Amino acid sequence: MEKHIYDEKNGLSYTLCGNYYLPDLVLNEEEPTYGKYGMLRKQFLKEHRPIRYQNLLLSGKLTAHLNQIDQEATEQVEVLMKQMVEKQGVNENLKRQDQMRWVVEIPTFGFAPKSQL
């Protein structure tokens, strides 16, 4: 019996171990690079959508999915922050004219958009 075989039907190669051919599987060990919103999405999937989480994990698409969610959420927060700053009139003119008021106003915007996601 051959030590290594390749099955063209499914595209997998196999190695002979004893009397059985076992697939040569390689785990994709890329380091996850997603941010805060990716981590929140992962936790949500684990707790509330376990089948979807397992499907993404086993298909190797979990990290890409979490990166996409993280990017979309981050962009949405940036847009909301910009809209809120413009609506309240907290801009560079205010920063030049009244720095203390600007310093007081800006941190309050950091928390509001995140609750709207």
Side-chain angles (χ1 to χ4, degrees), residues 1 23-24 59 98:
M1 296 179 78
D24 297 330
S59 67
D98 189 358

Side-chain angles (χ1 to χ4, degrees), residues 5-14 23-25:
I5 61 171
Y6 179 77
D7 186 358
E8 293 188 23
K9 292 180 186 176
N10 60 17
L12 293 176
S13 59
Y14 296 86
D24 297 330
L25 301 177

Side-chain angles (χ1 to χ4, degrees), residues 52-113:
R52 174 110 168 103
Y53 173 78
Q54 288 296 322
N55 286 341
L56 288 168
L57 181 64
L58 294 174
S59 67
K61 297 177 182 176
L62 180 63
T63 302
H65 173 75
L66 297 176
N67 282 330
Q68 178 185 0
I69 295 297
D70 188 68
Q71 181 183 1
E72 290 173 4
T74 301
E75 289 171 2
Q76 189 174 8
V77 166
E78 289 172 4
V79 168
L80 289 171
M81 285 288 291
K82 186 176 179 181
Q83 290 173 352
M84 290 176 65
V85 166
E86 288 174 2
K87 183 178 178 182
Q88 296 295 326
V90 180
N91 54 28
E92 291 299 315
N93 289 335
L94 178 63
K95 186 176 180 181
R96 280 191 294 272
Q97 294 170 356
D98 189 358
Q99 289 183 356
M100 290 306 289
R101 181 169 170 238
W102 185 86
V103 168
V104 169
E105 293 288 335
I106 285 296
T108 62
F109 294 117
F111 300 105

Side-chain angles (χ1 to χ4, degrees), residues 38-55:
M39 288 186 270
L40 290 171
R41 175 65 175 177
K42 182 178 180 180
Q43 181 180 355
F44 171 80
L45 288 171
K46 278 184 169 180
E47 293 176 8
H48 302 286
R49 303 288 189 272
I51 295 172
R52 174 110 168 103
Y53 173 78
Q54 288 296 322
N55 286 341

